[in-house]
């Protein structure tokens, strides 16, 4: 490949004349914009052990009342992106949120899509679009773009969950904003009771509400049972994985980020192909070694790590006598919609 001209090859007077007119020569930057064969990635494989997060989050609970925070969150920031950018990957924001007994995080809505993966504690709930959703460990709760949501806690111990948002992308698009609202009136629970059985769904036209997001809570009990059933019926030639989908359309549960749960049989190891989207790995149950781009993370329950795109992912169930379960968030719906999705 031939060497392209550098900025310093150009006379200063010419560079100044360009800058005066808000013009920039392309050729000095062309190779870094379009590197050969594989993109440059800022995202560094990074693990955030829950044992390190938890005490700092509890300290935040003592230092900052909920009224002073609205959302009491420690952001899992990727050092490769720069901590101040508060992103795990190009499109993924991650945070660990603490709600203490009796606290209430007021209602608002915003353009970024969010999900919560419940890490610890019982008794909290999130009301989304008037639907009050109980939160238990391993449950996935959706708060899609534009829907009102607020959190409360009637239990007796701290509740912690992992927030996953497409905030970095929506912010980059200059489309990120919020609106505050009043406490929501709670209507009857819809999605979970009416859509949780994939094969039998409400008949079109019979139901009064036709929400674009018919299911807002995916109970861990059901997800786990689906994985175990598939592991029993699928030959043991690889891990079993399910994708959280919109039960009406079968498409990804949200527009930008993808969400999955993966089960590794006792002692199982595998290598997943290099895919273009960046990904996040969170242990719901068990113990898993995750290897990405030459980094290996020994992950236990509630630990979280991320990987850049375009690298293979190695998984190894560190438990020889019990299955392990991972929650995965990735940028695959975005890559597919943009037409840039690749597997290598
Ligand atoms: C948000 O609305 C929540 O509702 C949590 O719990 C984290 C991070 C950035 C922007 C909005 C929540 C958030 C957030």
């Amino acid at each position: 490949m031939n060497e392209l001209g550098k900025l310093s090859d150009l006379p200063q007077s010419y560079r100044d004349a360009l800058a005066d007119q808000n013009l920039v020569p392309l050729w000095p930057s062309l190779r870094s914009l379009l590197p050969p064969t594989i993109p440059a990635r800022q995202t560094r494989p990074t693990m955030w052990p829950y044992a390190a997060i938890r005490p700092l989050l509890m300290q935040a609970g003592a230092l900052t009342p909920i009224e002073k925070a609205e959302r009491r969150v420690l952001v899992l920031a990727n050092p490769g992106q720069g901590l101040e950018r508060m992103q795990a990957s190009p499109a993924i924001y991650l945070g660990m949120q603490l709600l203490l007994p009796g606290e209430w995080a007021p209602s608002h809505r915003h353009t970024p899509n969010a999900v919560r993966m419940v890490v610890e504690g019982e008794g909290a709930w999130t009301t989304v679009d008037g639907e009050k959703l109980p939160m238990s460990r391993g449950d996935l709760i959706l708060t899609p773009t534009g829907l009102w949501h607020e959190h409360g806690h009637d239990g007796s111990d701290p509740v912690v969950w992992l927030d996953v948002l497409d905030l970095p992308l929506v912010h980059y698009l200059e489309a990120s904003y919020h609106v505050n609202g009043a406490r929501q009136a709670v209507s009857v629970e819809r999605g979970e009771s009416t859509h949780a059985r994939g094969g039998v769904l409400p008949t079109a036209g019979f139901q009064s509400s036709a929400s674009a997001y018919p299911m807002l809570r995916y109970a861990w009990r059901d997800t786990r049972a689906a994985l175990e059933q598939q592991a029993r019926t699928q030959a043991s030639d690889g891990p079993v994985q399910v994708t959280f989908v919109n039960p009406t359309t079968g498409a990804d549960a949200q527009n930008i980020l993808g969400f999955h749960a993966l089960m590794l049989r006792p002692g199982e190891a595998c290598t997943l192909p290099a895919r273009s989207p960046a990904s996040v790995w969170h242990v719901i149950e068990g113990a898993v070694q995750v290897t990405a781009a030459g980094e290996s993370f020994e992950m236990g329950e509630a630990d979280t790590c991320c990987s850049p795109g375009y690298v293979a992912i190695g998984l190894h169930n560190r438990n020889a006598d019990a299955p392990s379960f991972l929650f995965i968030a990735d940028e695959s719906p975005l890559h597919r919609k943009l037409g840039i999705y690749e597997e290598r």
Side-chain angles (χ1 to χ4, degrees):
M1 197 181 303
N2 66 317
E3 187 93 346
L4 299 180
K6 300 184 191 56
L7 199 57
S8 57
D9 298 339
L10 300 169
Q12 188 61 48
S13 58
Y14 178 70
R15 287 153 64 180
D16 292 346
L18 290 176
D20 276 350
Q21 299 303 321
N22 299 319
L23 295 170
V24 180
L26 173 62
W27 59 95
S29 305
L30 188 57
R31 292 282 183 260
S32 68
L33 287 172
L34 293 172
T37 315
I38 190 162
R41 284 138 301 151
Q42 306 280 296
T43 305
R44 197 181 296 164
T46 304
M47 174 181 168
W48 296 270
Y50 191 58
I53 298 172
R54 193 181 189 282
L56 294 167
L57 197 51
M58 296 303 152
Q59 252 181 292
L63 290 168
T64 306
I66 192 74
E67 296 75 21
K68 291 278 179 202
E70 273 182 38
R71 302 295 193 262
R72 193 190 289 107
V73 177
L74 294 180
V75 178
L76 282 53
N78 192 300
Q81 300 279 353
L83 297 185
E84 69 290 347
R85 296 172 68 93
M86 296 200 288
Q87 56 193 85
S89 77
I92 304 176
Y93 157 102
L94 295 177
M96 281 283 182
Q97 180 161 174
L98 169 67
L99 202 61
L100 293 171
E103 287 185 334
W104 179 60
S107 192
H108 70 184
R109 59 193 180 97
H110 41 68
T111 43
N113 296 273
V115 304
R116 337 264 159 214
M117 166 52 51
V118 184
V119 174
E120 157 177 354
E122 293 293 327
W125 45 266
T126 292
T127 299
V128 184
D129 198 22
E131 194 169 341
K132 188 171 176 178
L133 307 161
M135 300 174 94
S136 281
R137 194 169 76 95
D139 290 353
L140 183 73
I141 311 275
L142 307 190
T143 58
T145 180
L147 298 192
W148 294 108
H149 56 281
E150 63 193 270
H151 316 297
H153 188 356
D154 303 328
S156 50
D157 294 306
V159 165
V160 177
W161 62 79
L162 178 68
D163 290 312
V164 186
L165 283 83
D166 48 25
L167 178 64
L169 177 72
V170 178
H171 186 256
Y172 173 76
L173 295 174
E174 300 184 351
S176 178
Y177 72 93
H178 85 282
V179 179
N180 286 330
R183 190 181 273 260
Q184 296 169 73
V186 173
S187 57
V188 288
E189 204 173 284
R190 281 175 281 126
E192 220 205 327
S193 50
T194 56
H195 285 80
R197 294 183 189 280
V200 271
L201 298 176
T203 302
F206 274 63
Q207 270 62 35
S208 53
S209 107
S211 165
Y213 298 95
M215 191 158 161
L216 296 170
R217 174 175 183 256
Y218 297 76
W220 174 234
R221 182 181 6 95
D222 296 337
T223 309
R224 195 185 195 285
L227 286 166
E228 287 207 302
Q229 250 161 24
Q230 290 189 27
R232 274 196 292 276
T233 51
Q234 181 181 305
S236 54
D237 57 356
V240 290
Q241 183 176 307
V242 292
T243 297
F244 295 98
V245 299
N246 179 317
T248 303
T249 64
D252 290 291
Q254 290 187 341
N255 288 325
I256 296 176
L257 300 182
F259 306 101
H260 319 270
L262 183 144
M263 173 179 153
L264 292 165
R265 297 177 182 81
E268 184 170 7
C270 66
T271 303
L272 302 175
R275 300 183 174 120
S276 54
S279 54
V280 167
W281 306 78
H282 172 85
V283 178
I284 299 176
E285 275 183 50
V288 180
Q289 182 191 55
V290 179
T291 304
E295 297 272 356
S296 269
F297 302 121
E298 304 297 328
M299 307 243 293
E301 275 175 17
D303 291 344
T304 307
C305 73
C306 75
S307 166
Y310 297 89
V311 300
I313 307 282
L315 300 175
H316 178 208
N317 185 354
R318 297 162 62 206
N319 285 340
D321 47 11
S324 285
F325 297 91
L326 288 160
F327 168 63
I328 304 164
D330 68 23
E331 301 170 339
S332 56
L334 178 63
H335 277 228
R336 289 185 204 278
K337 282 171 180 144
L338 295 178
I340 59 170
Y341 183 87
E342 273 184 55
E343 262 180 33
R344 296 187 174 185

